[in-house]
Amino acid sequence: MTENFWLINSNRSRVKRFSKNNQNKDKFFEYMFIDSGRILGVLGKEPPLMTTREELKVDKARDEWRKLIAQGWRRTKPVWEDY
């Protein structure tokens, strides 16, 4: 199982999951998936609606993490299970 890192925005309406792409075929670079979701209803009662998935090199994913933290996003516990 892949370790996931989660962020939630300040008004608790959107989440992002960062996870390493272990199926990557590139021998030179590591990649991470960034899954974005929208919270529907009460957080924790039902999983968020996944809206997008992007794949970035690890260094670009770290830059994105730092940018989101600077915008007020915070770490959170997992809000949906792996599929």
Side-chain angles (χ1 to χ4, degrees):
M1 177 181 243
T2 303
E3 186 174 11
N4 297 310
F5 304 94
W6 293 83
L7 291 176
I8 191 166
N9 68 347
S10 59
N11 64 2
R12 301 176 63 83
S13 62
R14 294 177 24 210
V15 293
K16 292 193 181 268
R17 173 176 60 185
F18 290 70
S19 58
K20 187 174 179 180
N21 177 359
N22 292 322
Q23 311 298 320
N24 181 26
K25 305 280 190 250
D26 191 329
K27 302 294 183 207
F28 299 104
F29 298 102
E30 291 184 323
Y31 290 83
M32 293 199 75
F33 290 121
I34 303 175
D35 300 318
S36 299
R38 196 172 18 186
I39 306 237
L40 305 172
V42 178
L43 179 64
K45 294 267 186 191
E46 55 188 78
L49 173 65
M50 181 190 274
T51 55
T52 61
R53 171 176 264 190
E54 57 184 318
E55 184 179 30
L56 299 174
K57 290 180 182 176
V58 170
D59 59 335
K60 296 291 183 191
R62 287 181 180 139
D63 290 343
E64 180 69 13
W65 177 278
R66 286 189 279 270
K67 182 182 90 173
L68 291 167
I69 293 292
Q71 293 173 358
W73 289 65
R74 297 178 192 253
R75 287 192 76 159
T76 189
K77 63 180 176 53
V79 293
W80 76 72
E81 300 297 322
D82 290 334
Y83 297 103

